[in-house]
Amino acid sequence: MQEPFTTPLFSPADEQAMRLALDQAHNAWLVGEVPVGAVIMRAGQVIATGYNRPITTHDPTAHAEIVALRHAATLLENYRLPECELFVTLEPCAMCAMALMHARFKRVVFAATDPKTGVAGSVIDLFGQPQLNHHTRVERGLMADAAGQLLRDFFAERREAARARRAERQGLLPTGEATHLDDLP
């Protein structure tokens, strides 16, 4: 039986790490990507950062978590990162969750929930599957309002830009001239 979610107490260091993840999310927005940012910490030190890059890199696996995970593994010269913690602005998807568990992360802290693809309790809870051989501690809700607002603002801007493009194209459609038979000589 799954335990109910409780709001954990976050430390000032946790808050600072999530602020860095939010900065990374802003970087994603600046390059036209969905604003999700990630920071990997170990013993209070920033090991790696990442932000969403699937569009700009033409890589469907280039989620913020995976980008940061690749940097951290390369820097630490190990694919296992058991003393590391991930701070991410959006609940991980299945791909990212499994990569984090394969890397043996100690803890994942995320800000906003993802009701469409989140697998840390929103859609399913992969982290809570007892059949898996590694269990990563997950904490949710740190700076959720800021992360959620960033995503809402980004998608509102995208929708407005799409509406503006449609309106602009409407005026460009060839319409031809209507001639009334009564007006002919």
Side-chain angles (χ1 to χ4, degrees):
M1 181 169 158
Q2 185 175 350
E3 294 179 25
F5 288 108
T6 58
T7 303
L9 297 175
F10 295 109
S11 72
D14 292 344
E15 291 178 13
Q16 181 59 29
M18 191 60 79
R19 279 190 195 87
L20 292 173
L22 284 166
D23 287 345
Q24 290 296 307
H26 283 280
N27 290 342
W29 187 337
L30 291 173
V31 297
E33 298 277 4
V34 175
V36 178
V39 172
I40 295 175
M41 304 287 293
R42 184 178 76 172
Q45 287 190 306
V46 174
I47 300 298
T49 62
Y51 57 84
N52 266 5
R53 299 179 189 184
I55 298 167
T56 53
T57 61
H58 311 290
D59 179 358
T61 69
H63 290 192
E65 301 96 321
I66 301 296
V67 171
L69 179 61
R70 287 177 179 153
H71 289 313
T74 299
L75 178 72
L76 298 175
E77 296 180 336
N78 198 339
Y79 73 104
R80 295 281 167 91
L81 305 169
E83 296 304 313
C84 290
E85 301 173 306
L86 175 83
F87 293 81
V88 63
T89 59
L90 185 64
E91 181 177 0
C93 70
M95 173 185 69
C96 294
M98 290 309 298
L100 293 164
M101 285 188 276
H102 283 296
R104 305 293 195 259
F105 265 67
K106 175 169 66 174
R107 178 169 81 133
V108 170
V109 178
F110 68 90
T113 58
D114 185 348
K116 293 184 179 181
T117 63
V119 299
S122 288
V123 176
I124 61 172
D125 185 5
L126 277 180
F127 292 98
Q129 293 299 313
Q131 301 91 335
L132 299 176
N133 67 333
H134 177 76
H135 296 95
T136 300
R137 190 170 89 228
V138 176
E139 296 174 359
R140 63 171 49 205
L142 177 58
M143 298 183 174
D145 292 340
Q149 190 61 54
L150 184 64
L151 288 160
R152 284 188 295 277
D153 291 348
F154 172 80
F155 286 112
E157 181 181 275
R158 276 254 174 113
R159 285 189 297 275
E160 183 54 40
R163 277 192 288 276
R165 283 192 304 275
R166 282 193 302 274
E168 189 177 287
R169 283 194 307 257
Q170 259 185 333
L172 298 177
L173 292 176
T175 57
E177 282 188 32
T179 309
H180 295 282
L181 294 177
D182 298 6
D183 295 341
L184 293 175

